[in-house]
Amino acid sequence: MEHTPFSRRIFLQQGVTLASLTSTLPWFIQQSAMAMLSPDPRLSSRPGEPEDRILVVVQLSGGNDGLNTVVPYGSDAYHRARPSLAIGTPTTKDGALQLDDTQGIGLHPRLEGFRDLLDSGCLAVVQGVGYPNPNRSHFASMDIWHTGKPGGRDHGWIGRYIDCSCSGSPAADAEVAIGRSAPLAMMGAKANPVSFENARLYQWSGKELPGGLTASYDAANRAGALDGIDPGSQAAFLMRTALDAQLSSDRVRAAIAKSPLVNYPGTKLAGQMQSIGAMIRDGMKTRVYYASINGFDTHGGQAGTHGNLMREVGEAMRAFQNDMKAQGNQDRVMTMVFSEFGRRVAQNASGGTDHGTAAPMFLIGTQVQAGVHGTHPSLTNLDDGDLRFTTDFRSVYATLMDRWLSAPGKGCAAKVLGGRYDTLKILRT
Amino acid sequence: MTDFSLEPIRTSDWNAAAARHLLRRAGFGGPPEQVQALAAMKPASAVELLLDYERTPTVEIPDSTFDKDIRRPPTAEEREVSQRARRMKDEALQQQLQQMRNERDREDREQLREIQQWWLQRMIETGRPMQERMTLFWHGHFATGYRGVENSYHMFLQNQMLRQHATGNFADLVMRILRDPAMLKYLDNDESRKGRPNENLARELMELFVLGEGNGYTEDDIKEGARALTGYTFDDDTFAFETNRHDDGPKTIFGSTGNWNGDDFARIILSRKEPSLYICAKLYRALVNDAPGIPGRNEMRVVDALAKKMREGQYDLKPVLRTLLLSRHFYDPANRASMIKSPVQLVVGATRELGVPVRNMSTVNAATDLMGQSLFMPPSVKGWDGGQLWINTSTLFVRQNLLVYLITGAGPEGGADLGSWDPAPIRAALDSATAGDASRDADALLDLVLACDATPERRKQFRSAMEALGGPLEGRRLVRALCLVTALPEYQLC
């Protein structure tokens, strides 16, 4: 049986459908039926239609110091709490980059990338984002952000959103995560991300063994469900998933192998953003991409480390946005940047900061309401030395689900979050 | 037609394939000589050997295997110091104490990794595979996650408790889990007190541990059950019943009223019929077949009969397991190769069956995480869903690549050495299967390694793949052949 070329053609048109969930028919037969109804689905998706929109999530792991990211340089309390770590006013040497003169807030001086994004109308800052009864454990707080649930024990919010928004089976490449393991945020009851740290590893490693095993491996793994196998059986499911994996691997690796239209810096995060940019350019049907960067747990000697991280984040995001513009995809891609918590207001004795609570989030793209949103948390009315949050992170999630990824009124956000959260006026759409 | 009978398998149907099936399901599989040894016994004796493992000598696990003080509560003196630091606003001292706490956190996480690796190692080496297999089952059933406990030693103690009672009595297990420090912490019962009961443990006891979701209980039963459980907490490493936190007023659970405590609550729900059905259905999926929708209506007849046996035996597990593992239904072709290996089964099974080296346990442990089954870190109190949900395009590559790693040593940065493991035992097993006829090697290898009977199309494909290796299947060619056969989609079946 010659399934492979046929399947590949359909795949290139539509992206992979999760064969594993449709056990009654071999997936290529279902796909061919769909293909007859709509010769090339990409032609029918018009830019600006919600189903065409993409969300990129960037995770700053370790607890980013919000107060030295969006700097309340005008506050005396800030300077008092951080004798050696506070960043000065924009007019001083190594002072903050001006963000809002009247509120007295600015950006970390190494966040020039963000300043440029702001100047081009592509950066929204949401201040004081957090949640009630903040948890200061990295794991627990990250789980809360990933699930959008107070106990942090559920499927992930993006995974549940994909489950909710897709009728039937989600596409196998509806979510793509770059990282060592798939983020909890993307694990749904049905939805499951494609994940890889390095696209080179998103394939069978036996191909690199001496003796040329590739042809034999391909014959076995690209055949789909074999003759004589009950299509509803576990074996057929595995054979179909094996084919999906090969096709998805081909596609991802081919996309990433292309040189980008703009220059990216040589940093790790920029490398991830470049790969995401390449997959978007290649027309993959992915709705949500995920990137992450470690190192924000700055308990000691923070100043230099944090400055380098700020530069890495700012430059990577600026390059990515430039890439989207060069591709003509700038109006359909939005990036959200978050961390599991901010840090305590007062610096510690090691020139660092300990685990805290609320912190700013960033949205990047042409469709944001550029500028500063929400209220900066008070630096004097503290909760045991920590900031009190002013915006619930689930409001940001709700806004992205109901006003960016879906047409308004589709109402997945309330289902996913288990309750209604106000959407924020942070988008132009 | 599928045989739904729980009558014992006929001796005439007992052979190496049946023995291998038993060894894979009641354990993690074993080398060909173990399969042969079981096949040479009577079926009842083979089941007995695996199930009555108390007779098999084992390496005792002293409680001192891990550092029990890694999370000990602070001494009076230490408490005094930290209170003073706070009172005096001594920031340098507070800072120092914080650093010590951070260091202890780090050490505890490190110890958890050691415990994960220790358990994997034990599963690989044990002479009592069924004990470990069932310990793993109960870990997924009474799922407790380190992140909610943050005490590696308590995770170890729970693991020991589950191991000790792995095939004992289910009601007894329930009573013990209600006294288990890790569980009490994980489901917040240590914070539950009279007037402010925390419903978490009571809810999961109904929904996940004993009755099953929606099986006849109400929200009021949960609320009343939570009151009964108030005061169930722990002190250092042991259970403590705090009478002053316990709500000793009357509660009504399933219509029966009394001054119930947590044990009474458990006894009331265990006196119903639902738990035996719920647990037997779960055992069925864990041991017999985990295809979607299983157990369906037909399989429920088998589950019903097992549940009846469980009730007759007052929740003793062995009679149920013995009946099931010996039954014609268990060995029916419909239930062969009908499960998808869990990541732990994949790793442990490969080392036990093929004899491949473990290489580096920390790498292997990290791989179980990538495949979705990090021990002591189930995704939620629901445990691992398992079955087809183990498999997606990413985890399938990890599974295939892990086998390449075990067989050749090739990791993400390369490092393959086809000569680093001698597959002589596999060659010997092929010889005995083919009686030296090399033309049957390819088929014999499929039969040896796969749980399913390969289809004619697969056999044809595989024979030409073996021919392409260009010589007899031995040494490095056999190593390459094993990389290919373990990369077949069917290899994930067990």
mmCIF file of all heavy atoms in Angstrom, chain A residues 42 52-56 176 251-252 255-256 264 272-289 320 323-325 327-330 332-335:
data_model
loop_
_atom_site.group_PDB
_atom_site.id
_atom_site.type_symbol
_atom_site.label_atom_id
_atom_site.label_comp_id
_atom_site.label_asym_id
_atom_site.label_seq_id
_atom_site.Cartn_x
_atom_site.Cartn_y
_atom_site.Cartn_z
ATOM 1 N N ARG A 42 -5.806 26.581 3.383
ATOM 2 C CA ARG A 42 -5.104 27.822 3.703
ATOM 3 C C ARG A 42 -5.658 29.001 2.905
ATOM 4 O O ARG A 42 -5.586 30.138 3.310
ATOM 5 C CB ARG A 42 -3.610 27.674 3.446
ATOM 6 C CG ARG A 42 -2.888 27.219 4.697
ATOM 7 C CD ARG A 42 -1.404 27.250 4.504
ATOM 8 N NE ARG A 42 -1.016 26.279 3.497
ATOM 9 C CZ ARG A 42 0.211 26.211 3.000
ATOM 10 N NH1 ARG A 42 1.131 27.049 3.394
ATOM 11 N NH2 ARG A 42 0.516 25.301 2.108
ATOM 12 N N ASP A 52 -6.997 32.464 12.451
ATOM 13 C CA ASP A 52 -5.711 32.649 11.830
ATOM 14 C C ASP A 52 -4.691 33.205 12.818
ATOM 15 O O ASP A 52 -3.529 33.332 12.506
ATOM 16 C CB ASP A 52 -5.898 33.646 10.694
ATOM 17 C CG ASP A 52 -4.912 33.394 9.582
ATOM 18 O OD1 ASP A 52 -4.634 32.220 9.329
ATOM 19 O OD2 ASP A 52 -4.429 34.371 9.012
ATOM 20 N N ARG A 53 -5.154 33.542 14.006
ATOM 21 C CA ARG A 53 -4.279 34.251 14.939
ATOM 22 C C ARG A 53 -3.424 33.296 15.759
ATOM 23 O O ARG A 53 -3.827 32.180 16.063
ATOM 24 C CB ARG A 53 -5.104 35.115 15.872
ATOM 25 C CG ARG A 53 -5.682 36.309 15.165
ATOM 26 C CD ARG A 53 -6.441 37.114 16.159
ATOM 27 N NE ARG A 53 -7.114 38.218 15.498
ATOM 28 C CZ ARG A 53 -8.135 38.857 16.049
ATOM 29 N NH1 ARG A 53 -8.590 38.477 17.223
ATOM 30 N NH2 ARG A 53 -8.687 39.853 15.413
ATOM 31 N N ILE A 54 -2.281 33.792 16.124
ATOM 32 C CA ILE A 54 -1.295 32.973 16.825
ATOM 33 C C ILE A 54 -0.910 33.659 18.131
ATOM 34 O O ILE A 54 -0.777 34.881 18.177
ATOM 35 C CB ILE A 54 -0.052 32.804 15.928
ATOM 36 C CG1 ILE A 54 -0.411 31.928 14.712
ATOM 37 C CG2 ILE A 54 1.123 32.216 16.715
ATOM 38 C CD1 ILE A 54 0.634 31.933 13.634
ATOM 39 N N LEU A 55 -0.755 32.857 19.164
ATOM 40 C CA LEU A 55 -0.256 33.360 20.445
ATOM 41 C C LEU A 55 1.101 32.716 20.718
ATOM 42 O O LEU A 55 1.260 31.506 20.559
ATOM 43 C CB LEU A 55 -1.234 33.009 21.570
ATOM 44 C CG LEU A 55 -0.767 33.379 22.983
ATOM 45 C CD1 LEU A 55 -0.672 34.887 23.161
ATOM 46 C CD2 LEU A 55 -1.714 32.776 24.030
ATOM 47 N N VAL A 56 2.056 33.535 21.090
ATOM 48 C CA VAL A 56 3.365 33.018 21.514
ATOM 49 C C VAL A 56 3.512 33.339 22.998
ATOM 50 O O VAL A 56 3.320 34.485 23.401
ATOM 51 C CB VAL A 56 4.511 33.684 20.721
ATOM 52 C CG1 VAL A 56 5.857 33.114 21.154
ATOM 53 C CG2 VAL A 56 4.295 33.506 19.226
ATOM 54 N N VAL A 176 2.904 24.057 19.879
ATOM 55 C CA VAL A 176 4.308 23.660 19.762
ATOM 56 C C VAL A 176 5.094 24.329 20.890
ATOM 57 O O VAL A 176 5.010 25.543 21.074
ATOM 58 C CB VAL A 176 4.907 24.064 18.399
ATOM 59 C CG1 VAL A 176 6.408 23.767 18.371
ATOM 60 C CG2 VAL A 176 4.204 23.319 17.263
ATOM 61 N N ARG A 251 8.235 18.328 8.809
ATOM 62 C CA ARG A 251 7.749 19.689 8.609
ATOM 63 C C ARG A 251 8.487 20.682 9.515
ATOM 64 O O ARG A 251 8.933 21.724 9.064
ATOM 65 C CB ARG A 251 6.251 19.725 8.912
ATOM 66 C CG ARG A 251 5.689 21.106 8.854
ATOM 67 C CD ARG A 251 4.614 21.208 7.819
ATOM 68 N NE ARG A 251 4.411 22.576 7.433
ATOM 69 C CZ ARG A 251 3.279 23.009 6.926
ATOM 70 N NH1 ARG A 251 2.269 22.182 6.745
ATOM 71 N NH2 ARG A 251 3.144 24.260 6.561
ATOM 72 N N VAL A 252 8.588 20.319 10.787
ATOM 73 C CA VAL A 252 9.235 21.220 11.745
ATOM 74 C C VAL A 252 10.700 21.423 11.358
ATOM 75 O O VAL A 252 11.211 22.545 11.313
ATOM 76 C CB VAL A 252 9.121 20.641 13.172
ATOM 77 C CG1 VAL A 252 10.086 21.321 14.111
ATOM 78 C CG2 VAL A 252 7.688 20.777 13.677
ATOM 79 N N ALA A 255 11.079 23.569 8.242
ATOM 80 C CA ALA A 255 10.779 24.982 8.509
ATOM 81 C C ALA A 255 11.963 25.648 9.203
ATOM 82 O O ALA A 255 12.393 26.741 8.824
ATOM 83 C CB ALA A 255 9.528 25.098 9.383
ATOM 84 N N ILE A 256 12.499 24.984 10.199
ATOM 85 C CA ILE A 256 13.536 25.598 11.024
ATOM 86 C C ILE A 256 14.860 25.695 10.281
ATOM 87 O O ILE A 256 15.692 26.551 10.567
ATOM 88 C CB ILE A 256 13.643 24.823 12.361
ATOM 89 C CG1 ILE A 256 12.396 25.127 13.192
ATOM 90 C CG2 ILE A 256 14.898 25.182 13.132
ATOM 91 C CD1 ILE A 256 12.307 24.376 14.481
ATOM 92 N N TYR A 264 18.768 37.513 13.983
ATOM 93 C CA TYR A 264 18.469 37.301 15.397
ATOM 94 C C TYR A 264 19.776 37.319 16.169
ATOM 95 O O TYR A 264 20.810 36.876 15.643
ATOM 96 C CB TYR A 264 17.793 35.942 15.594
ATOM 97 C CG TYR A 264 16.308 35.895 15.293
ATOM 98 C CD1 TYR A 264 15.842 35.681 14.007
ATOM 99 C CD2 TYR A 264 15.373 36.053 16.311
ATOM 100 C CE1 TYR A 264 14.482 35.626 13.727
ATOM 101 C CE2 TYR A 264 14.003 35.997 16.046
ATOM 102 C CZ TYR A 264 13.564 35.774 14.756
ATOM 103 O OH TYR A 264 12.221 35.713 14.502
ATOM 104 N N GLN A 272 15.237 30.311 20.128
ATOM 105 C CA GLN A 272 13.892 29.748 20.215
ATOM 106 C C GLN A 272 12.903 30.597 19.411
ATOM 107 O O GLN A 272 12.057 30.076 18.692
ATOM 108 C CB GLN A 272 13.429 29.687 21.680
ATOM 109 C CG GLN A 272 14.240 28.738 22.540
ATOM 110 C CD GLN A 272 13.715 28.691 23.982
ATOM 111 O OE1 GLN A 272 12.541 28.931 24.243
ATOM 112 N NE2 GLN A 272 14.574 28.376 24.921
ATOM 113 N N MET A 273 13.038 31.922 19.555
ATOM 114 C CA MET A 273 12.109 32.809 18.846
ATOM 115 C C MET A 273 12.312 32.690 17.335
ATOM 116 O O MET A 273 11.367 32.758 16.560
ATOM 117 C CB MET A 273 12.289 34.262 19.298
ATOM 118 C CG MET A 273 12.007 34.524 20.777
ATOM 119 S SD MET A 273 10.429 33.869 21.382
ATOM 120 C CE MET A 273 9.250 34.905 20.520
ATOM 121 N N GLN A 274 13.567 32.505 16.936
ATOM 122 C CA GLN A 274 13.853 32.336 15.504
ATOM 123 C C GLN A 274 13.165 31.074 14.972
ATOM 124 O O GLN A 274 12.578 31.079 13.887
ATOM 125 C CB GLN A 274 15.362 32.252 15.295
ATOM 126 C CG GLN A 274 15.763 32.076 13.839
ATOM 127 C CD GLN A 274 17.275 32.007 13.671
ATOM 128 O OE1 GLN A 274 18.035 32.624 14.427
ATOM 129 N NE2 GLN A 274 17.718 31.248 12.674
ATOM 130 N N SER A 275 13.221 29.991 15.780
ATOM 131 C CA SER A 275 12.555 28.752 15.350
ATOM 132 C C SER A 275 11.048 28.955 15.248
ATOM 133 O O SER A 275 10.409 28.481 14.314
ATOM 134 C CB SER A 275 12.841 27.628 16.349
ATOM 135 O OG SER A 275 14.208 27.322 16.352
ATOM 136 N N ILE A 276 10.484 29.650 16.224
ATOM 137 C CA ILE A 276 9.039 29.905 16.190
ATOM 138 C C ILE A 276 8.699 30.755 14.966
ATOM 139 O O ILE A 276 7.742 30.477 14.236
ATOM 140 C CB ILE A 276 8.587 30.577 17.508
ATOM 141 C CG1 ILE A 276 8.706 29.565 18.655
ATOM 142 C CG2 ILE A 276 7.166 31.105 17.398
ATOM 143 C CD1 ILE A 276 8.485 30.156 20.038
ATOM 144 N N GLY A 277 9.522 31.776 14.732
ATOM 145 C CA GLY A 277 9.312 32.613 13.554
ATOM 146 C C GLY A 277 9.329 31.779 12.276
ATOM 147 O O GLY A 277 8.509 31.971 11.368
ATOM 148 N N ALA A 278 10.258 30.828 12.218
ATOM 149 C CA ALA A 278 10.376 29.994 11.022
ATOM 150 C C ALA A 278 9.142 29.127 10.831
ATOM 151 O O ALA A 278 8.653 28.928 9.711
ATOM 152 C CB ALA A 278 11.626 29.129 11.131
ATOM 153 N N MET A 279 8.610 28.610 11.921
ATOM 154 C CA MET A 279 7.424 27.747 11.807
ATOM 155 C C MET A 279 6.203 28.564 11.391
ATOM 156 O O MET A 279 5.368 28.101 10.616
ATOM 157 C CB MET A 279 7.187 27.009 13.132
ATOM 158 C CG MET A 279 8.231 25.922 13.395
ATOM 159 S SD MET A 279 7.916 24.940 14.879
ATOM 160 C CE MET A 279 8.733 25.914 16.135
ATOM 161 N N ILE A 280 6.115 29.794 11.886
ATOM 162 C CA ILE A 280 5.001 30.664 11.488
ATOM 163 C C ILE A 280 5.118 30.986 10.001
ATOM 164 O O ILE A 280 4.157 30.900 9.243
ATOM 165 C CB ILE A 280 5.005 31.958 12.335
ATOM 166 C CG1 ILE A 280 4.644 31.618 13.788
ATOM 167 C CG2 ILE A 280 4.043 32.988 11.759
ATOM 168 C CD1 ILE A 280 4.797 32.771 14.756
ATOM 169 N N ARG A 281 6.331 31.292 9.583
ATOM 170 C CA ARG A 281 6.561 31.639 8.176
ATOM 171 C C ARG A 281 6.211 30.470 7.266
ATOM 172 O O ARG A 281 5.718 30.648 6.146
ATOM 173 C CB ARG A 281 8.040 32.011 8.010
ATOM 174 C CG ARG A 281 8.409 32.469 6.618
ATOM 175 C CD ARG A 281 9.865 32.890 6.622
ATOM 176 N NE ARG A 281 10.397 32.991 5.274
ATOM 177 C CZ ARG A 281 11.672 32.747 4.974
ATOM 178 N NH1 ARG A 281 12.532 32.408 5.931
ATOM 179 N NH2 ARG A 281 12.094 32.853 3.738
ATOM 180 N N ASP A 282 6.461 29.279 7.769
ATOM 181 C CA ASP A 282 6.199 28.081 6.980
ATOM 182 C C ASP A 282 4.709 27.780 6.876
ATOM 183 O O ASP A 282 4.305 26.859 6.178
ATOM 184 C CB ASP A 282 6.933 26.898 7.624
ATOM 185 C CG ASP A 282 7.031 25.721 6.684
ATOM 186 O OD1 ASP A 282 7.569 25.902 5.581
ATOM 187 O OD2 ASP A 282 6.544 24.630 7.033
ATOM 188 N N GLY A 283 3.888 28.531 7.587
ATOM 189 C CA GLY A 283 2.436 28.333 7.470
ATOM 190 C C GLY A 283 1.910 27.170 8.280
ATOM 191 O O GLY A 283 0.852 26.619 7.961
ATOM 192 N N MET A 284 2.629 26.768 9.332
ATOM 193 C CA MET A 284 2.084 25.702 10.175
ATOM 194 C C MET A 284 0.793 26.179 10.814
ATOM 195 O O MET A 284 0.599 27.357 11.048
ATOM 196 C CB MET A 284 3.117 25.298 11.240
ATOM 197 C CG MET A 284 4.188 24.393 10.661
ATOM 198 S SD MET A 284 5.522 23.939 11.796
ATOM 199 C CE MET A 284 4.636 23.314 13.194
ATOM 200 N N LYS A 285 -0.098 25.220 11.102
ATOM 201 C CA LYS A 285 -1.411 25.577 11.623
ATOM 202 C C LYS A 285 -1.409 25.767 13.137
ATOM 203 O O LYS A 285 -2.452 25.790 13.764
ATOM 204 C CB LYS A 285 -2.423 24.486 11.260
ATOM 205 C CG LYS A 285 -2.719 24.415 9.773
ATOM 206 C CD LYS A 285 -3.185 25.760 9.282
ATOM 207 C CE LYS A 285 -4.363 25.649 8.346
ATOM 208 N NZ LYS A 285 -4.803 26.972 7.892
ATOM 209 N N THR A 286 -0.256 25.878 13.706
ATOM 210 C CA THR A 286 -0.122 25.989 15.155
ATOM 211 C C THR A 286 -0.784 27.269 15.675
ATOM 212 O O THR A 286 -0.575 28.342 15.114
ATOM 213 C CB THR A 286 1.376 25.969 15.498
ATOM 214 O OG1 THR A 286 1.946 24.801 14.906
ATOM 215 C CG2 THR A 286 1.599 25.971 16.993
ATOM 216 N N ARG A 287 -1.587 27.113 16.751
ATOM 217 C CA ARG A 287 -2.259 28.282 17.338
ATOM 218 C C ARG A 287 -1.408 28.916 18.435
ATOM 219 O O ARG A 287 -1.448 30.120 18.625
ATOM 220 C CB ARG A 287 -3.608 27.877 17.974
ATOM 221 C CG ARG A 287 -4.610 27.179 17.064
ATOM 222 C CD ARG A 287 -5.119 28.037 15.927
ATOM 223 N NE ARG A 287 -5.467 29.419 16.248
ATOM 224 C CZ ARG A 287 -6.610 29.817 16.772
ATOM 225 N NH1 ARG A 287 -7.541 28.956 17.088
ATOM 226 N NH2 ARG A 287 -6.840 31.100 16.993
ATOM 227 N N VAL A 288 -0.703 28.089 19.193
ATOM 228 C CA VAL A 288 0.061 28.613 20.326
ATOM 229 C C VAL A 288 1.476 28.019 20.319
ATOM 230 O O VAL A 288 1.643 26.803 20.183
ATOM 231 C CB VAL A 288 -0.628 28.271 21.674
ATOM 232 C CG1 VAL A 288 0.113 28.941 22.829
ATOM 233 C CG2 VAL A 288 -2.093 28.687 21.673
ATOM 234 N N TYR A 289 2.450 28.889 20.428
ATOM 235 C CA TYR A 289 3.850 28.473 20.582
ATOM 236 C C TYR A 289 4.317 28.834 21.987
ATOM 237 O O TYR A 289 3.784 29.747 22.613
ATOM 238 C CB TYR A 289 4.747 29.196 19.565
ATOM 239 C CG TYR A 289 4.519 28.784 18.137
ATOM 240 C CD1 TYR A 289 3.632 29.487 17.324
ATOM 241 C CD2 TYR A 289 5.197 27.704 17.594
ATOM 242 C CE1 TYR A 289 3.415 29.123 15.996
ATOM 243 C CE2 TYR A 289 4.993 27.329 16.267
ATOM 244 C CZ TYR A 289 4.108 28.036 15.474
ATOM 245 O OH TYR A 289 3.905 27.667 14.171
ATOM 246 N N PHE A 320 12.173 39.170 16.938
ATOM 247 C CA PHE A 320 11.015 38.368 16.536
ATOM 248 C C PHE A 320 9.946 39.260 15.896
ATOM 249 O O PHE A 320 9.372 38.918 14.858
ATOM 250 C CB PHE A 320 10.454 37.645 17.762
ATOM 251 C CG PHE A 320 9.235 36.816 17.474
ATOM 252 C CD1 PHE A 320 9.332 35.648 16.739
ATOM 253 C CD2 PHE A 320 7.973 37.204 17.933
ATOM 254 C CE1 PHE A 320 8.209 34.877 16.475
ATOM 255 C CE2 PHE A 320 6.845 36.438 17.667
ATOM 256 C CZ PHE A 320 6.972 35.270 16.939
ATOM 257 N N ASP A 323 10.912 40.178 12.534
ATOM 258 C CA ASP A 323 10.736 39.028 11.644
ATOM 259 C C ASP A 323 9.273 38.927 11.211
ATOM 260 O O ASP A 323 8.969 38.744 10.027
ATOM 261 C CB ASP A 323 11.188 37.756 12.389
ATOM 262 C CG ASP A 323 11.307 36.541 11.474
ATOM 263 O OD1 ASP A 323 11.138 36.696 10.236
ATOM 264 O OD2 ASP A 323 11.562 35.439 11.988
ATOM 265 N N MET A 324 8.368 39.078 12.183
ATOM 266 C CA MET A 324 6.941 38.989 11.849
ATOM 267 C C MET A 324 6.587 40.057 10.812
ATOM 268 O O MET A 324 5.818 39.821 9.890
ATOM 269 C CB MET A 324 6.080 39.182 13.112
ATOM 270 C CG MET A 324 6.168 38.046 14.122
ATOM 271 S SD MET A 324 5.780 36.432 13.419
ATOM 272 C CE MET A 324 7.418 35.779 13.139
ATOM 273 N N LYS A 325 7.164 41.239 10.970
ATOM 274 C CA LYS A 325 6.879 42.326 10.050
ATOM 275 C C LYS A 325 7.431 41.984 8.665
ATOM 276 O O LYS A 325 6.749 42.150 7.653
ATOM 277 C CB LYS A 325 7.509 43.618 10.578
ATOM 278 C CG LYS A 325 6.890 44.854 9.993
ATOM 279 C CD LYS A 325 7.373 46.104 10.705
ATOM 280 C CE LYS A 325 7.064 47.305 9.814
ATOM 281 N NZ LYS A 325 7.896 48.455 10.146
ATOM 282 N N GLN A 327 7.881 39.150 7.437
ATOM 283 C CA GLN A 327 7.069 38.072 6.864
ATOM 284 C C GLN A 327 5.683 38.544 6.447
ATOM 285 O O GLN A 327 4.973 37.855 5.738
ATOM 286 C CB GLN A 327 6.862 36.951 7.896
ATOM 287 C CG GLN A 327 8.091 36.174 8.285
ATOM 288 C CD GLN A 327 7.774 35.121 9.341
ATOM 289 O OE1 GLN A 327 6.612 34.772 9.567
ATOM 290 N NE2 GLN A 327 8.799 34.613 9.989
ATOM 291 N N GLY A 328 5.273 39.707 6.951
ATOM 292 C CA GLY A 328 3.892 40.153 6.742
ATOM 293 C C GLY A 328 2.918 39.494 7.706
ATOM 294 O O GLY A 328 1.709 39.514 7.495
ATOM 295 N N ASN A 329 3.422 38.887 8.778
ATOM 296 C CA ASN A 329 2.555 38.202 9.744
ATOM 297 C C ASN A 329 2.348 39.023 11.019
ATOM 298 O O ASN A 329 1.800 38.515 11.996
ATOM 299 C CB ASN A 329 3.173 36.848 10.132
ATOM 300 C CG ASN A 329 2.863 35.787 9.071
ATOM 301 O OD1 ASN A 329 1.770 35.793 8.511
ATOM 302 N ND2 ASN A 329 3.815 34.919 8.796
ATOM 303 N N GLN A 330 2.774 40.289 10.991
ATOM 304 C CA GLN A 330 2.804 41.043 12.251
ATOM 305 C C GLN A 330 1.416 41.239 12.863
ATOM 306 O O GLN A 330 1.297 41.364 14.079
ATOM 307 C CB GLN A 330 3.495 42.408 12.052
ATOM 308 C CG GLN A 330 2.723 43.428 11.235
ATOM 309 C CD GLN A 330 2.941 43.268 9.731
ATOM 310 O OE1 GLN A 330 3.368 42.208 9.250
ATOM 311 N NE2 GLN A 330 2.647 44.305 8.974
ATOM 312 N N ARG A 332 -1.089 39.127 12.921
ATOM 313 C CA ARG A 332 -1.768 37.909 13.396
ATOM 314 C C ARG A 332 -0.999 37.177 14.493
ATOM 315 O O ARG A 332 -1.382 36.086 14.899
ATOM 316 C CB ARG A 332 -2.080 36.962 12.232
ATOM 317 C CG ARG A 332 -0.944 36.689 11.266
ATOM 318 C CD ARG A 332 -1.408 35.843 10.104
ATOM 319 N NE ARG A 332 -1.654 34.483 10.518
ATOM 320 C CZ ARG A 332 -0.856 33.454 10.237
ATOM 321 N NH1 ARG A 332 0.239 33.630 9.520
ATOM 322 N NH2 ARG A 332 -1.148 32.244 10.651
ATOM 323 N N VAL A 333 0.065 37.793 14.965
ATOM 324 C CA VAL A 333 0.868 37.131 15.996
ATOM 325 C C VAL A 333 0.968 38.037 17.225
ATOM 326 O O VAL A 333 1.237 39.224 17.089
ATOM 327 C CB VAL A 333 2.288 36.819 15.477
ATOM 328 C CG1 VAL A 333 3.128 36.170 16.573
ATOM 329 C CG2 VAL A 333 2.215 35.912 14.253
ATOM 330 N N MET A 334 0.701 37.480 18.389
ATOM 331 C CA MET A 334 0.866 38.233 19.623
ATOM 332 C C MET A 334 1.689 37.414 20.607
ATOM 333 O O MET A 334 1.539 36.205 20.691
ATOM 334 C CB MET A 334 -0.494 38.561 20.228
ATOM 335 C CG MET A 334 -0.341 39.331 21.514
ATOM 336 S SD MET A 334 -1.715 40.363 21.959
ATOM 337 C CE MET A 334 -2.342 40.991 20.473
ATOM 338 N N THR A 335 2.554 38.099 21.339
ATOM 339 C CA THR A 335 3.415 37.428 22.304
ATOM 340 C C THR A 335 3.060 37.880 23.716
ATOM 341 O O THR A 335 2.815 39.067 23.944
ATOM 342 C CB THR A 335 4.893 37.767 22.015
ATOM 343 O OG1 THR A 335 5.186 37.386 20.672
ATOM 344 C CG2 THR A 335 5.819 37.010 22.963
#
